[in-house]
């Protein structure tokens, strides 16, 4: 989805491949399969123009991130926010500043 949002729609599989070329070398068929799955899940809309398919994002970056994060927490942390935070803290991924920000976030959530 990052590759889709990197361009002004419509986006082609060639554009996605070009965007990903610096990160990974995926075969074009893998990219086409991935884009097809994103269409099936309702994240993209596609239309065929000539020999090429054009893709349009149907979800915002924020909505997609929320969806993927929710699925990640559900799949790997049994829907436990505490489990996620505990894992991050055990791996020393949370700094004191992160913990202060989290504490402030909790304080604001309680007052809402």
């Amino acid at each position: 989805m990052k590759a889709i949002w990197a361009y002004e729609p419509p986006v082609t599989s060639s554009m996605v491949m070009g965007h990903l070329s610096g990160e990974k070398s995926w075969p074009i068929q893998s990219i086409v399969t991935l884009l097809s799955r994103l269409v099936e899940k309702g994240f993209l809309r596609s239309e065929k123009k000539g020999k090429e398919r054009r893709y349009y994002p149907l979800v915002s970056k924020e909505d997609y991130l929320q969806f993927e994060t929710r699925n990640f927490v559900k799949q790997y942390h049994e829907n436990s926010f505490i489990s996620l935070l505990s894992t991050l803290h055990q791996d020393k991924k949370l700094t004191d500043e992160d913990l202060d920000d989290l504490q402030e976030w909790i304080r604001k959530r309680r007052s809402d």
Side-chain angles (χ1 to χ4, degrees):
M1 286 301 296
K2 286 182 187 179
I4 296 292
W5 292 313
Y7 299 100
E8 191 68 32
V11 179
T12 64
S13 55
S14 300
M15 293 165 76
V16 172
M17 188 168 196
H19 185 82
L20 295 175
S21 66
E23 298 175 21
K24 300 177 181 180
S25 57
W26 288 20
I28 189 67
Q29 191 53 47
S30 296
I31 291 172
V32 169
T33 299
L34 176 63
L35 292 169
S36 295
R37 288 184 181 152
L38 290 170
V39 168
E40 288 172 16
K41 290 182 177 187
F43 297 125
L44 295 176
R45 175 176 65 87
S46 77
E47 61 183 39
K48 192 163 180 147
K49 184 148 186 174
K51 293 182 180 182
E52 201 163 49
R53 280 215 168 266
R54 295 179 175 194
Y55 298 91
Y56 301 84
L58 295 177
V59 294
S60 70
K61 200 180 229 181
E62 294 77 20
D63 288 344
Y64 186 77
L65 181 60
Q66 187 177 32
F67 172 82
E68 287 296 342
T69 302
R70 205 177 291 133
N71 278 349
F72 176 81
V73 172
K74 180 179 180 183
Q75 185 173 359
Y76 295 103
H77 294 279
E78 298 175 356
N79 275 335
S80 172
F81 183 64
I82 298 302
S83 172
L84 173 65
L85 290 177
S86 178
T87 301
L88 291 173
H89 184 64
Q90 286 173 355
D91 290 342
K92 304 296 184 225
K93 303 264 187 216
L94 292 176
T95 65
D96 286 342
E97 185 179 336
D98 291 332
L99 293 171
D100 290 343
D101 289 346
L102 180 59
Q103 203 167 21
E104 180 62 25
W105 180 81
I106 291 169
R107 195 172 8 264
K108 285 180 181 177
R109 294 281 297 195
R110 282 195 171 156
S111 65
D112 285 347

